[in-house]
Amino acid sequence: MYDPTVARLTYRALLGRRRAAILFLLPGLLLLIATAVRVINGADDQVAADLLGGFALATMVPLIGVIAGTGAIGPEIDDGSIVYLLSKPVKRPTIIMTKLIVAIAVTMAFSAVPTLIAGFILNGNGQQVAVAYTVAALVASIAYSALFLLLGTISRHAVVIGLVYALVWEALFGSLIAGARTLSVQQWALALAEKVTGDGLISSDVALPTAAVLLVAVTLGATWFAGHKLRTLTLAGEE
């Protein structure tokens, strides 16, 4: 279920000059803010939790997920170059799985790693805040990558839809409507972070068992459906 050639092409597409600049921007901003907060405010567990929750998990992780998830396949479908891959003797589910693995790796590298570093800068991992949010970022990276890869497979407007979900549904509606938080990858990931800290610094509106089931279901469901949609694509010569 993994093809090195497809992986290499996907990494090259995601880490091209333009996308790489965007991918480095958000982590760089997080580390800059974390450093400034530590210098001005000193080590504070609550401030660290607020910053990592409000910026890293709520903003940086989903945005990087949008870039990596949709960018892993969306541009190839839009410009028709996906035909090159589909004409090769590689199973289409293998293409999806390979691209998902690459998208997850990129999202984790550019979100979870900076989150961990920022956490240590902010309070030296006091009360496991840095580790908690890193775990949340790792788990959210998997779910976001699967969701946004699916969007890239089924829609030419995947980036817009992904941004609407991340910034409008999760950030806006999630802060105003309690029921919306149940359908939020951010809240599912926070349930794991809450378990790691266990002292009230981090809270989620979704219970851990429910969050775990939803994370697995969404990831597997989105991956399966993306593979199904790719299998339904036909080349001109196949008709």
Side-chain angles (χ1 to χ4, degrees):
M1 298 300 290
Y2 181 85
D3 186 273
T5 301
V6 174
R8 184 173 66 253
L9 292 173
T10 307
Y11 275 118
R12 186 180 300 172
L14 287 179
L15 300 178
R17 183 175 301 177
R18 185 174 61 181
R19 281 197 179 88
I22 299 174
L23 288 171
F24 277 106
L25 178 62
L26 288 171
L29 182 59
L30 172 64
L31 296 178
L32 181 62
I33 294 173
T35 302
V37 169
R38 178 60 185 267
V39 171
I40 295 172
N41 197 66
D44 187 300
D45 295 340
Q46 188 61 60
V47 170
D50 291 342
L51 179 56
L52 294 180
F55 184 84
L57 188 62
T59 303
M60 183 181 72
V61 179
L63 289 181
I64 291 177
V66 169
I67 296 169
T70 62
I73 196 168
E76 291 176 298
I77 293 178
D78 291 343
D79 63 20
S81 61
I82 191 67
V83 171
Y84 169 78
L85 285 180
L86 299 183
S87 64
K88 299 299 179 181
V90 180
K91 293 180 180 180
R92 299 184 186 190
T94 299
I95 294 174
I96 288 294
M97 280 301 302
T98 302
K99 288 183 173 293
L100 176 61
I101 291 170
V102 172
I104 290 172
V106 170
T107 305
M108 286 182 172
F110 284 91
S111 61
V113 174
T115 297
L116 181 63
I117 297 172
F120 274 94
I121 291 174
L122 285 165
N123 74 334
N125 193 38
Q127 299 193 58
Q128 297 293 306
V129 170
V131 171
Y133 276 106
T134 300
V135 170
L138 288 170
V139 172
S141 295
I142 298 173
Y144 281 130
S145 296
L147 276 174
F148 297 138
L149 180 67
L150 171 61
L151 285 177
T153 306
I154 65 178
S155 175
R156 291 180 178 271
H157 307 291
V159 174
V160 175
I161 298 172
L163 290 175
V164 168
Y165 172 78
L167 300 180
V168 177
W169 178 265
E170 289 203 339
L172 180 58
F173 287 174
S175 64
L176 299 175
I177 305 172
R181 300 181 193 127
T182 305
L183 300 177
S184 167
V185 174
Q186 176 189 339
Q187 289 297 321
W188 305 341
L190 277 174
L192 294 174
E194 181 181 10
K195 180 66 175 179
V196 174
T197 55
D199 59 5
L201 275 176
I202 303 173
S203 62
S204 172
D205 292 325
V206 183
L208 181 57
T210 302
V213 170
L214 289 172
L215 281 167
V216 172
V218 166
T219 301
L220 294 179
T223 303
W224 176 85
F225 194 55
H228 172 73
K229 293 299 293 184
L230 194 63
R231 283 197 301 269
T232 63
L233 288 178
T234 57
L235 304 180
E238 294 177 342
E239 299 177 349

